Amino acid sequence: MNSDWLRKLCAVGGVSGQEDAVRDILLSLLPPEAETQTDGLGNLIVRKKGAARPKNTVMLCAHMDEVGMLVTYISSDGMLKFSAIGMDRKAYLGKRVAVGCQALPGVVGVTPVHLLSDDKQKTIPAAHTLYIDIGAADREAAEALVQPGDAVQLTGDLASFGDGCWKGKALDDRMGCLLLLELLQEDLPYDICVVFTVQEEVGLRGAKAAAFSVDPAYAVVVETTTAADLPDISGAERVCRLGGGAVVSFMDKGTIYPFALYRSAMALAAQHGIPVQTKSLVAGGNDAGAIHQSRGGVPTLAISVPCRYLHSPACVAKEADWAAVAALTRLVWEDFCQQ
Amino acid sequence: MDRIADILAALCRVEGVSGAEDAAAEAASIFLEQSSAVQTDRLGNVLGFRTGGQTGGPRILLDAHLDQIGLIVTAVTEEGFLRVGACGHMDARVLAAQEVIVHGSQPLLGVISSVPPHLAKGDESACPDIRDLCVDIGFSGERAAALVPLGSRVTLLTDPMRLAARRFTGAALDNRAGVAAILRCLEFLDGEATCPLTVLFSAQEETGGSGAAAAGFSMAPDEAIAVDVSFGQAPGLAPEEAAPLGCGTLIGWSPVLSRDLSLRLEELAQTERIPFRREVMGGRTGTNADRLQVAGTGIPCGLLSIPLRNMHTGIEVLDLADSEATAKLLAAYVRDKSRR
């Protein structure tokens, strides 16, 4: 895993609808022989010639966007009201954020616990009461720096820790972007088509349009997925675990994956000694939800890196799991090319 | 404001959770040594005896607590997660997915657990108890147990930094802001002869004020001024609950505090044109002044506070002008007592 590239990809903001900075980094790191096209929604479609033509067009996909907020209103006291995209509010309450293209520092404020009843000390405040404080003393001062519509990113630098773990904001799904970016650097046996999609977190909107234009016979979505392997959570509710390898799902909230494809991916992993696991709960969803319904239907698989604290400033994933996803994605792609 | 911002940033970059203030003590001592002879007592308090020229007048003690709220490791699970308890009144609502540093046998990066939404059973407002949280340091149980002795402290990781205008944010502004104001006051007094001045950067305020109680007894000053933070105005707070950021220093009025001292602070703020507000408390102040007042044979106390938003979180916010005003008023008070 090229951690320098992952750091570059995670450092920039790409809240849904404002993925430009992520796309620019991907464009700058693609090999010169890759043909690129940015569609009307902002999806980046990349094609590269391989040694042979595949029997089937296979669309590989990872989303560029990340969870965050949009500024909706500036109050008279200089505070920013916002709408959160794809996040549980406890993940950003009391955290540092970065506002607008200039990444102005701000904080999501809270009433001090000292001034709250016992009940309220144990309650996450209602979403409509929350605000971002950038230090502006009043509306005029804030308006000179921010305007409604500006995106707000979570802040959380990529860092390695523990035994082969990485933490940072936007690992969902820059880890997938990195994986496909690295695959595109290789000399490949077949022509390849990779789509870096926009707006996954607001309803798989980029993938819907991209799947229509690419018109693939098969698709593979490379993602991160929730791991809840934490104390006090047991059995099926853990969903999947860090260190357990690539996650191949048979069903999530958006897609029932073709069982034959699911089984063949599991068999490929076993045959090549790639650690693999499935999700023990029907939870979450990804771009497959849009892609599999495209045109006359597209058999699709999702292969994911298990990730703790998804949709937070500090997602945690293991490099060994990413490597398993990379190895399995490559095999599944080649398999789909020849089906 | 650049100078006080620099002092604050240097003080907020080091840790000092209650009972383990060593790193914060060292950072504060580097500044304090420029004006004072520095000692550390048996509870971990830092004491500075100002060495400039001395006039007559009362022996004044200026106090600010060094410690910050944090977490303390109580157990390591078989899977390598750390169970923690609160050191001080920690705000549990802001801890999910918070980056932390675990001060084990070496500093370790960690993330506080956050239960994913699929297990929240649709109740997004539920806030876990601190004892149900854990710190994820990415190691196996065996490695984690070897690296993290029980009792290790945990601090929230947020780099101190400036916001727009004169605002500043960081994780331990309660009460490095008070420490910085006293250090800045000493810089204002540089080269002047003053009454005998003792600085106390006290340990363990957040867990009950034992540092100030002990040092108040052993120093037995003629009077003392505690410098701390108080509630800054923010959305959701009534005007009477909190002071606007940028309003100046808050001069405490309370039965616990010396009325003469509070009055003199106000008179000086007026004559020196230092912005201030009166902060009235019906009884105890919730600061070291409560402990200092009844230390030994009793010490007349004053209290200056800096308005602070988001107290006891990793994103505390203050206005540097309020810190500067606090430092100026402290210096004015010391000069005033030195002239008499």
Side-chain angles (χ1 to χ4, degrees):
Chain A
M1 191 181 84
N2 186 329
S3 54
D4 288 341
W5 284 5
L6 185 60
R7 182 166 287 111
K8 276 189 177 176
L9 285 166
C10 287
V12 295
V15 176
S16 307
Q18 302 190 24
E19 299 88 352
D20 311 54
V22 183
R23 190 171 51 241
D24 289 347
I25 288 179
L26 289 168
L27 282 166
S28 74
L29 296 174
L30 284 168
E33 64 274 23
E35 289 168 33
T36 66
Q37 177 207 343
T38 301
D39 75 8
L41 296 193
N43 292 309
L44 174 61
I45 303 171
V46 185
R47 292 184 171 88
K48 199 182 104 167
K49 290 275 180 227
R53 310 292 83 78
K55 254 159 84 183
N56 305 300
T57 302
V58 180
M59 172 171 149
L60 292 161
C61 135
H63 68 89
M64 293 187 286
D65 63 319
E66 71 192 78
V67 297
M69 303 107 153
L70 290 181
V71 176
T72 52
Y73 181 74
I74 300 173
S75 305
S76 56
D77 57 1
M79 298 301 188
L80 316 180
K81 302 298 279 185
F82 60 88
S83 174
I85 294 172
M87 268 188 302
D88 199 348
R89 60 190 190 277
K90 70 175 189 292
Y92 57 79
L93 188 71
K95 307 292 193 302
R96 177 93 42 91
V97 293
V99 183
C101 349
Q102 290 171 30
L104 283 176
V107 301
V108 182
V110 288
T111 299
V113 277
H114 318 62
L115 300 177
L116 297 174
S117 63
D118 285 357
D119 270 4
K120 287 210 164 149
Q121 287 188 33
K122 290 176 188 154
T123 308
I124 305 293
H128 73 271
T129 66
L130 300 179
Y131 57 88
I132 295 166
D133 180 357
I134 55 166
D138 53 32
R139 178 180 284 148
E140 202 185 350
E143 278 175 348
L145 300 165
V146 181
Q147 54 181 331
D150 281 356
V152 180
Q153 304 166 47
L154 302 176
T155 61
D157 292 340
L158 184 75
S160 68
F161 77 110
D163 183 14
C165 293
W166 289 90
K167 72 95 205 155
K169 64 118 179 144
L171 288 184
D172 173 13
D173 182 28
R174 305 292 153 71
M175 279 196 134
C177 292
L178 174 72
L179 193 158
L180 295 178
L181 179 65
E182 288 196 22
L183 182 60
L184 281 162
Q185 313 295 320
E186 292 180 35
D187 286 328
L188 295 166
Y190 301 107
D191 298 351
I192 188 169
C193 175
V194 169
V195 182
F196 298 104
T197 57
V198 296
Q199 299 188 34
E200 191 267 352
E201 302 290 1
V202 289
L204 327 178
R205 312 189 76 80
K208 184 169 195 301
F212 184 90
S213 38
V214 170
D215 190 11
Y218 292 93
V220 182
V221 174
V222 184
E223 257 285 18
T224 52
T225 194
T226 287
D229 53 336
L230 299 170
D232 307 326
I233 300 174
S234 58
E237 290 198 319
R238 290 196 154 201
V239 189
C240 60
R241 69 180 180 89
L242 263 63
V247 182
V248 184
S249 326
F250 48 84
M251 180 178 174
D252 59 34
K253 287 275 175 68
T255 311
I256 298 176
Y257 299 90
F259 205 59
L261 297 190
Y262 164 76
R263 280 193 306 193
S264 76
M266 287 298 196
L268 273 175
Q271 195 186 325
H272 290 84
I274 299 167
V276 73
Q277 55 185 328
T278 192
K279 285 163 79 164
S280 52
L281 206 69
V282 175
N286 56 55
D287 274 339
I291 298 167
H292 85 278
Q293 307 182 50
S294 184
R295 293 186 183 243
V298 181
T300 303
L301 269 188
I303 308 178
S304 306
V305 181
C307 184
R308 291 181 190 143
Y309 331 122
L310 209 66
H311 295 187
S312 86
C315 310
V316 170
K318 233 176 161 128
E319 187 162 341
D321 294 327
W322 180 92
V325 173
L328 186 57
T329 300
R330 170 76 188 254
L331 290 171
V332 167
W333 170 70
E334 285 188 31
D335 185 44
F336 284 180
C337 284
Q338 318 162 58
Q339 281 277 331
Chain B
M1 309 294 162
D2 288 351
R3 176 61 186 161
I4 201 150
D6 289 346
I7 299 174
L8 263 178
L11 295 175
C12 288
R13 279 199 192 98
V14 290
E15 84 282 3
V17 178
S18 311
E21 293 91 352
D22 314 48
E26 201 180 315
S29 297
I30 291 169
F31 289 102
L32 188 57
E33 277 160 3
Q34 290 162 16
S35 65
S36 308
V38 178
Q39 289 176 12
T40 306
D41 78 3
R42 285 179 293 187
L43 288 196
N45 292 309
V46 172
L47 291 160
F49 304 94
R50 188 171 182 273
T51 48
Q54 212 165 89
T55 63
R59 290 172 305 119
I60 299 179
L61 180 140
L62 302 179
D63 161 83
H65 71 85
L66 259 183
D67 62 320
Q68 71 194 89
I69 52 139
L71 299 166
I72 184 164
V73 177
T74 53
V76 181
T77 73
E78 274 177 25
E79 292 176 301
F81 293 99
L82 314 179
R83 294 295 199 178
V84 289
C87 245
H89 193 178
M90 179 61 97
D91 186 341
R93 299 169 303 161
V94 302
L95 295 180
Q98 169 71 51
E99 286 171 52
V100 295
I101 298 288
V102 177
H103 304 280
S105 52
Q106 64 195 69
L108 298 167
L109 184 64
V111 174
I112 298 181
S113 64
S114 175
V115 173
H118 73 272
L119 295 174
K121 317 285 182 213
D123 185 9
E124 253 198 63
S125 18
C127 165
D129 221 67
I130 287 176
R131 62 166 175 250
D132 296 327
L133 295 171
C134 62
V135 180
D136 182 351
I137 55 169
F139 282 112
S140 68
E142 204 177 315
R143 286 276 284 149
L147 288 166
V148 185
L150 298 188
S152 297
R153 303 300 202 277
V154 179
T155 48
L156 310 187
L157 175 64
T158 39
D159 270 345
M161 71 193 303
R162 291 185 78 154
L163 295 172
R166 305 168 313 206
R167 305 276 160 91
F168 189 94
T169 184
L173 291 177
D174 179 4
N175 185 31
R176 305 292 150 73
V179 175
I182 291 176
L183 291 169
R184 185 79 178 123
C185 155
L186 291 167
E187 292 184 352
F188 288 144
L189 294 171
D190 187 38
E192 298 177 34
T194 67
C195 55
L197 195 58
T198 305
V199 170
L200 166 61
F201 292 147
S202 42
Q204 298 184 44
E205 190 269 350
E206 299 290 0
T207 48
S210 35
F217 176 88
S218 49
M219 293 299 111
D222 296 319
E223 47 188 75
I225 299 177
V227 186
D228 209 326
V229 293
S230 186
F231 305 114
Q233 191 51 253
L237 292 178
E240 66 273 20
E241 281 184 302
L245 263 59
C247 73
T249 189
L250 306 178
I251 299 176
W253 283 77
S254 144
V256 167
L257 302 171
S258 154
R259 192 178 162 79
D260 288 346
L261 217 160
S262 298
L263 201 57
R264 190 64 195 144
L265 284 167
E266 278 197 5
E267 286 166 1
L268 287 165
Q270 270 157 352
T271 50
E272 303 281 332
R273 297 175 187 282
I274 298 166
F276 75 96
R277 270 202 186 205
R278 189 179 279 200
E279 183 187 22
V280 183
M281 290 148 285
R284 282 185 295 172
T285 63
T287 70
N288 273 339
D290 300 348
R291 301 303 299 270
L292 289 167
Q293 184 210 15
V294 291
T297 56
I299 305 167
C301 280
L303 172 63
L304 292 184
S305 299
I306 298 160
L308 184 79
R309 285 180 180 151
N310 315 316
M311 197 184 289
H312 289 193
T313 71
I315 51 139
E316 295 175 331
V317 174
L318 58 71
D319 192 310
L320 294 167
D322 298 332
S323 299
E324 194 84 354
T326 304
K328 279 187 183 152
L329 185 53
L330 285 171
Y333 185 82
V334 172
R335 281 187 193 116
D336 178 59
K337 289 289 173 177
S338 308
R339 275 196 290 269
R340 294 181 175 197

mmCIF file with all atom_site columns, all heavy atoms in Angstrom, chain B residues 118-135:
data_model
loop_
_atom_site.group_PDB
_atom_site.id
_atom_site.type_symbol
_atom_site.label_atom_id
_atom_site.label_alt_id
_atom_site.label_comp_id
_atom_site.label_asym_id
_atom_site.label_entity_id
_atom_site.label_seq_id
_atom_site.pdbx_PDB_ins_code
_atom_site.Cartn_x
_atom_site.Cartn_y
_atom_site.Cartn_z
_atom_site.occupancy
_atom_site.B_iso_or_equiv
_atom_site.pdbx_formal_charge
_atom_site.auth_seq_id
_atom_site.auth_comp_id
_atom_site.auth_asym_id
_atom_site.auth_atom_id
_atom_site.pdbx_PDB_model_num
ATOM 1   N N   . HIS B 1 118 ? -25.765 1.211  13.082 1.00 0.00 ? 118 HIS B N   1
ATOM 2   C CA  . HIS B 1 118 ? -26.644 0.041  12.959 1.00 0.00 ? 118 HIS B CA  1
ATOM 3   C C   . HIS B 1 118 ? -26.916 -0.597 14.308 1.00 0.00 ? 118 HIS B C   1
ATOM 4   O O   . HIS B 1 118 ? -27.841 -1.369 14.464 1.00 0.00 ? 118 HIS B O   1
ATOM 5   C CB  . HIS B 1 118 ? -26.068 -0.982 11.976 1.00 0.00 ? 118 HIS B CB  1
ATOM 6   C CG  . HIS B 1 118 ? -24.877 -1.745 12.480 1.00 0.00 ? 118 HIS B CG  1
ATOM 7   N ND1 . HIS B 1 118 ? -23.596 -1.287 12.331 1.00 0.00 ? 118 HIS B ND1 1
ATOM 8   C CD2 . HIS B 1 118 ? -24.772 -2.913 13.144 1.00 0.00 ? 118 HIS B CD2 1
ATOM 9   C CE1 . HIS B 1 118 ? -22.754 -2.157 12.878 1.00 0.00 ? 118 HIS B CE1 1
ATOM 10  N NE2 . HIS B 1 118 ? -23.436 -3.144 13.384 1.00 0.00 ? 118 HIS B NE2 1
ATOM 11  N N   . LEU B 1 119 ? -26.099 -0.272 15.326 1.00 0.00 ? 119 LEU B N   1
ATOM 12  C CA  . LEU B 1 119 ? -26.324 -0.828 16.656 1.00 0.00 ? 119 LEU B CA  1
ATOM 13  C C   . LEU B 1 119 ? -26.953 0.182  17.606 1.00 0.00 ? 119 LEU B C   1
ATOM 14  O O   . LEU B 1 119 ? -27.207 -0.104 18.764 1.00 0.00 ? 119 LEU B O   1
ATOM 15  C CB  . LEU B 1 119 ? -25.003 -1.329 17.238 1.00 0.00 ? 119 LEU B CB  1
ATOM 16  C CG  . LEU B 1 119 ? -24.380 -2.503 16.480 1.00 0.00 ? 119 LEU B CG  1
ATOM 17  C CD1 . LEU B 1 119 ? -23.007 -2.832 17.029 1.00 0.00 ? 119 LEU B CD1 1
ATOM 18  C CD2 . LEU B 1 119 ? -25.281 -3.725 16.556 1.00 0.00 ? 119 LEU B CD2 1
ATOM 19  N N   . ALA B 1 120 ? -27.182 1.403  17.108 1.00 0.00 ? 120 ALA B N   1
ATOM 20  C CA  . ALA B 1 120 ? -27.745 2.449  17.975 1.00 0.00 ? 120 ALA B CA  1
ATOM 21  C C   . ALA B 1 120 ? -29.249 2.280  18.132 1.00 0.00 ? 120 ALA B C   1
ATOM 22  O O   . ALA B 1 120 ? -29.865 2.978  18.919 1.00 0.00 ? 120 ALA B O   1
ATOM 23  C CB  . ALA B 1 120 ? -27.418 3.829  17.424 1.00 0.00 ? 120 ALA B CB  1
ATOM 24  N N   . LYS B 1 121 ? -29.819 1.327  17.427 1.00 0.00 ? 121 LYS B N   1
ATOM 25  C CA  . LYS B 1 121 ? -31.259 1.047  17.505 1.00 0.00 ? 121 LYS B CA  1
ATOM 26  C C   . LYS B 1 121 ? -32.081 2.311  17.258 1.00 0.00 ? 121 LYS B C   1
ATOM 27  O O   . LYS B 1 121 ? -33.064 2.574  17.949 1.00 0.00 ? 121 LYS B O   1
ATOM 28  C CB  . LYS B 1 121 ? -31.659 0.448  18.877 1.00 0.00 ? 121 LYS B CB  1
ATOM 29  C CG  . LYS B 1 121 ? -30.720 -0.614 19.423 1.00 0.00 ? 121 LYS B CG  1
ATOM 30  C CD  . LYS B 1 121 ? -30.863 -1.956 18.716 1.00 0.00 ? 121 LYS B CD  1
ATOM 31  C CE  . LYS B 1 121 ? -29.926 -2.991 19.346 1.00 0.00 ? 121 LYS B CE  1
ATOM 32  N NZ  . LYS B 1 121 ? -29.427 -3.963 18.390 1.00 0.00 ? 121 LYS B NZ  1
ATOM 33  N N   . GLY B 1 122 ? -31.631 3.111  16.323 1.00 0.00 ? 122 GLY B N   1
ATOM 34  C CA  . GLY B 1 122 ? -32.386 4.294  15.921 1.00 0.00 ? 122 GLY B CA  1
ATOM 35  C C   . GLY B 1 122 ? -32.312 5.454  16.899 1.00 0.00 ? 122 GLY B C   1
ATOM 36  O O   . GLY B 1 122 ? -32.894 6.496  16.663 1.00 0.00 ? 122 GLY B O   1
ATOM 37  N N   . ASP B 1 123 ? -31.604 5.284  18.035 1.00 0.00 ? 123 ASP B N   1
ATOM 38  C CA  . ASP B 1 123 ? -31.536 6.375  18.999 1.00 0.00 ? 123 ASP B CA  1
ATOM 39  C C   . ASP B 1 123 ? -30.193 7.088  18.906 1.00 0.00 ? 123 ASP B C   1
ATOM 40  O O   . ASP B 1 123 ? -29.232 6.733  19.566 1.00 0.00 ? 123 ASP B O   1
ATOM 41  C CB  . ASP B 1 123 ? -31.746 5.841  20.417 1.00 0.00 ? 123 ASP B CB  1
ATOM 42  C CG  . ASP B 1 123 ? -31.811 6.974  21.426 1.00 0.00 ? 123 ASP B CG  1
ATOM 43  O OD1 . ASP B 1 123 ? -31.873 8.144  20.993 1.00 0.00 ? 123 ASP B OD1 1
ATOM 44  O OD2 . ASP B 1 123 ? -31.791 6.698  22.632 1.00 0.00 ? 123 ASP B OD2 1
ATOM 45  N N   . GLU B 1 124 ? -30.178 8.111  18.056 1.00 0.00 ? 124 GLU B N   1
ATOM 46  C CA  . GLU B 1 124 ? -28.938 8.845  17.831 1.00 0.00 ? 124 GLU B CA  1
ATOM 47  C C   . GLU B 1 124 ? -28.569 9.725  19.004 1.00 0.00 ? 124 GLU B C   1
ATOM 48  O O   . GLU B 1 124 ? -27.464 10.236 19.087 1.00 0.00 ? 124 GLU B O   1
ATOM 49  C CB  . GLU B 1 124 ? -29.088 9.728  16.579 1.00 0.00 ? 124 GLU B CB  1
ATOM 50  C CG  . GLU B 1 124 ? -28.324 9.238  15.387 1.00 0.00 ? 124 GLU B CG  1
ATOM 51  C CD  . GLU B 1 124 ? -28.139 10.332 14.355 1.00 0.00 ? 124 GLU B CD  1
ATOM 52  O OE1 . GLU B 1 124 ? -27.483 11.334 14.646 1.00 0.00 ? 124 GLU B OE1 1
ATOM 53  O OE2 . GLU B 1 124 ? -28.673 10.173 13.248 1.00 0.00 ? 124 GLU B OE2 1
ATOM 54  N N   . SER B 1 125 ? -29.512 9.973  19.919 1.00 0.00 ? 125 SER B N   1
ATOM 55  C CA  . SER B 1 125 ? -29.178 10.886 21.013 1.00 0.00 ? 125 SER B CA  1
ATOM 56  C C   . SER B 1 125 ? -28.586 10.192 22.220 1.00 0.00 ? 125 SER B C   1
ATOM 57  O O   . SER B 1 125 ? -28.168 10.851 23.152 1.00 0.00 ? 125 SER B O   1
ATOM 58  C CB  . SER B 1 125 ? -30.395 11.712 21.435 1.00 0.00 ? 125 SER B CB  1
ATOM 59  O OG  . SER B 1 125 ? -31.563 11.155 20.992 1.00 0.00 ? 125 SER B OG  1
ATOM 60  N N   . ALA B 1 126 ? -28.537 8.859  22.183 1.00 0.00 ? 126 ALA B N   1
ATOM 61  C CA  . ALA B 1 126 ? -27.980 8.154  23.338 1.00 0.00 ? 126 ALA B CA  1
ATOM 62  C C   . ALA B 1 126 ? -26.473 8.364  23.411 1.00 0.00 ? 126 ALA B C   1
ATOM 63  O O   . ALA B 1 126 ? -25.771 8.237  22.410 1.00 0.00 ? 126 ALA B O   1
ATOM 64  C CB  . ALA B 1 126 ? -28.302 6.670  23.228 1.00 0.00 ? 126 ALA B CB  1
ATOM 65  N N   . CYS B 1 127 ? -26.014 8.708  24.590 1.00 0.00 ? 127 CYS B N   1
ATOM 66  C CA  . CYS B 1 127 ? -24.584 8.946  24.776 1.00 0.00 ? 127 CYS B CA  1
ATOM 67  C C   . CYS B 1 127 ? -24.038 7.880  25.711 1.00 0.00 ? 127 CYS B C   1
ATOM 68  O O   . CYS B 1 127 ? -24.557 7.694  26.808 1.00 0.00 ? 127 CYS B O   1
ATOM 69  C CB  . CYS B 1 127 ? -24.399 10.334 25.376 1.00 0.00 ? 127 CYS B CB  1
ATOM 70  S SG  . CYS B 1 127 ? -22.782 10.626 26.045 1.00 0.00 ? 127 CYS B SG  1
ATOM 71  N N   . PRO B 1 128 ? -23.033 7.132  25.285 1.00 0.00 ? 128 PRO B N   1
ATOM 72  C CA  . PRO B 1 128 ? -22.542 6.059  26.152 1.00 0.00 ? 128 PRO B CA  1
ATOM 73  C C   . PRO B 1 128 ? -21.887 6.602  27.418 1.00 0.00 ? 128 PRO B C   1
ATOM 74  O O   . PRO B 1 128 ? -21.357 7.717  27.425 1.00 0.00 ? 128 PRO B O   1
ATOM 75  C CB  . PRO B 1 128 ? -21.521 5.331  25.283 1.00 0.00 ? 128 PRO B CB  1
ATOM 76  C CG  . PRO B 1 128 ? -21.136 6.293  24.220 1.00 0.00 ? 128 PRO B CG  1
ATOM 77  C CD  . PRO B 1 128 ? -22.266 7.245  24.049 1.00 0.00 ? 128 PRO B CD  1
ATOM 78  N N   . ASP B 1 129 ? -21.948 5.822  28.450 1.00 0.00 ? 129 ASP B N   1
ATOM 79  C CA  . ASP B 1 129 ? -21.236 6.099  29.682 1.00 0.00 ? 129 ASP B CA  1
ATOM 80  C C   . ASP B 1 129 ? -19.742 5.931  29.419 1.00 0.00 ? 129 ASP B C   1
ATOM 81  O O   . ASP B 1 129 ? -19.369 5.095  28.599 1.00 0.00 ? 129 ASP B O   1
ATOM 82  C CB  . ASP B 1 129 ? -21.685 5.031  30.688 1.00 0.00 ? 129 ASP B CB  1
ATOM 83  C CG  . ASP B 1 129 ? -21.888 5.623  32.047 1.00 0.00 ? 129 ASP B CG  1
ATOM 84  O OD1 . ASP B 1 129 ? -22.828 6.430  32.175 1.00 0.00 ? 129 ASP B OD1 1
ATOM 85  O OD2 . ASP B 1 129 ? -21.103 5.270  32.949 1.00 0.00 ? 129 ASP B OD2 1
ATOM 86  N N   . ILE B 1 130 ? -18.913 6.685  30.120 1.00 0.00 ? 130 ILE B N   1
ATOM 87  C CA  . ILE B 1 130 ? -17.471 6.561  29.877 1.00 0.00 ? 130 ILE B CA  1
ATOM 88  C C   . ILE B 1 130 ? -16.994 5.130  30.133 1.00 0.00 ? 130 ILE B C   1
ATOM 89  O O   . ILE B 1 130 ? -16.145 4.611  29.422 1.00 0.00 ? 130 ILE B O   1
ATOM 90  C CB  . ILE B 1 130 ? -16.679 7.588  30.711 1.00 0.00 ? 130 ILE B CB  1
ATOM 91  C CG1 . ILE B 1 130 ? -16.894 8.979  30.098 1.00 0.00 ? 130 ILE B CG1 1
ATOM 92  C CG2 . ILE B 1 130 ? -15.186 7.258  30.762 1.00 0.00 ? 130 ILE B CG2 1
ATOM 93  C CD1 . ILE B 1 130 ? -16.278 10.121 30.831 1.00 0.00 ? 130 ILE B CD1 1
ATOM 94  N N   . ARG B 1 131 ? -17.620 4.445  31.116 1.00 0.00 ? 131 ARG B N   1
ATOM 95  C CA  . ARG B 1 131 ? -17.134 3.090  31.398 1.00 0.00 ? 131 ARG B CA  1
ATOM 96  C C   . ARG B 1 131 ? -17.523 2.096  30.296 1.00 0.00 ? 131 ARG B C   1
ATOM 97  O O   . ARG B 1 131 ? -17.006 0.982  30.269 1.00 0.00 ? 131 ARG B O   1
ATOM 98  C CB  . ARG B 1 131 ? -17.581 2.606  32.767 1.00 0.00 ? 131 ARG B CB  1
ATOM 99  C CG  . ARG B 1 131 ? -19.059 2.505  32.922 1.00 0.00 ? 131 ARG B CG  1
ATOM 100 C CD  . ARG B 1 131 ? -19.426 1.710  34.161 1.00 0.00 ? 131 ARG B CD  1
ATOM 101 N NE  . ARG B 1 131 ? -20.863 1.769  34.287 1.00 0.00 ? 131 ARG B NE  1
ATOM 102 C CZ  . ARG B 1 131 ? -21.498 2.435  35.227 1.00 0.00 ? 131 ARG B CZ  1
ATOM 103 N NH1 . ARG B 1 131 ? -20.845 3.071  36.153 1.00 0.00 ? 131 ARG B NH1 1
ATOM 104 N NH2 . ARG B 1 131 ? -22.815 2.462  35.256 1.00 0.00 ? 131 ARG B NH2 1
ATOM 105 N N   . ASP B 1 132 ? -18.428 2.493  29.392 1.00 0.00 ? 132 ASP B N   1
ATOM 106 C CA  . ASP B 1 132 ? -18.771 1.621  28.263 1.00 0.00 ? 132 ASP B CA  1
ATOM 107 C C   . ASP B 1 132 ? -17.933 1.912  27.022 1.00 0.00 ? 132 ASP B C   1
ATOM 108 O O   . ASP B 1 132 ? -18.040 1.217  26.013 1.00 0.00 ? 132 ASP B O   1
ATOM 109 C CB  . ASP B 1 132 ? -20.259 1.748  27.913 1.00 0.00 ? 132 ASP B CB  1
ATOM 110 C CG  . ASP B 1 132 ? -21.135 1.271  29.058 1.00 0.00 ? 132 ASP B CG  1
ATOM 111 O OD1 . ASP B 1 132 ? -20.706 0.342  29.766 1.00 0.00 ? 132 ASP B OD1 1
ATOM 112 O OD2 . ASP B 1 132 ? -22.228 1.832  29.253 1.00 0.00 ? 132 ASP B OD2 1
ATOM 113 N N   . LEU B 1 133 ? -17.129 2.956  27.093 1.00 0.00 ? 133 LEU B N   1
ATOM 114 C CA  . LEU B 1 133 ? -16.259 3.274  25.959 1.00 0.00 ? 133 LEU B CA  1
ATOM 115 C C   . LEU B 1 133 ? -14.958 2.498  26.101 1.00 0.00 ? 133 LEU B C   1
ATOM 116 O O   . LEU B 1 133 ? -14.669 1.932  27.153 1.00 0.00 ? 133 LEU B O   1
ATOM 117 C CB  . LEU B 1 133 ? -15.929 4.766  25.956 1.00 0.00 ? 133 LEU B CB  1
ATOM 118 C CG  . LEU B 1 133 ? -17.088 5.725  25.740 1.00 0.00 ? 133 LEU B CG  1
ATOM 119 C CD1 . LEU B 1 133 ? -16.623 7.151  25.987 1.00 0.00 ? 133 LEU B CD1 1
ATOM 120 C CD2 . LEU B 1 133 ? -17.620 5.579  24.320 1.00 0.00 ? 133 LEU B CD2 1
ATOM 121 N N   . CYS B 1 134 ? -14.177 2.490  25.033 1.00 0.00 ? 134 CYS B N   1
ATOM 122 C CA  . CYS B 1 134 ? -12.832 1.944  25.171 1.00 0.00 ? 134 CYS B CA  1
ATOM 123 C C   . CYS B 1 134 ? -11.922 2.697  24.224 1.00 0.00 ? 134 CYS B C   1
ATOM 124 O O   . CYS B 1 134 ? -12.380 3.384  23.320 1.00 0.00 ? 134 CYS B O   1
ATOM 125 C CB  . CYS B 1 134 ? -12.832 0.449  24.869 1.00 0.00 ? 134 CYS B CB  1
ATOM 126 S SG  . CYS B 1 134 ? -13.335 0.080  23.210 1.00 0.00 ? 134 CYS B SG  1
ATOM 127 N N   . VAL B 1 135 ? -10.635 2.584  24.489 1.00 0.00 ? 135 VAL B N   1
ATOM 128 C CA  . VAL B 1 135 ? -9.654  3.212  23.614 1.00 0.00 ? 135 VAL B CA  1
ATOM 129 C C   . VAL B 1 135 ? -9.021  2.123  22.759 1.00 0.00 ? 135 VAL B C   1
ATOM 130 O O   . VAL B 1 135 ? -8.571  1.102  23.279 1.00 0.00 ? 135 VAL B O   1
ATOM 131 C CB  . VAL B 1 135 ? -8.582  3.970  24.430 1.00 0.00 ? 135 VAL B CB  1
ATOM 132 C CG1 . VAL B 1 135 ? -7.565  4.612  23.499 1.00 0.00 ? 135 VAL B CG1 1
ATOM 133 C CG2 . VAL B 1 135 ? -9.228  5.016  25.322 1.00 0.00 ? 135 VAL B CG2 1
#
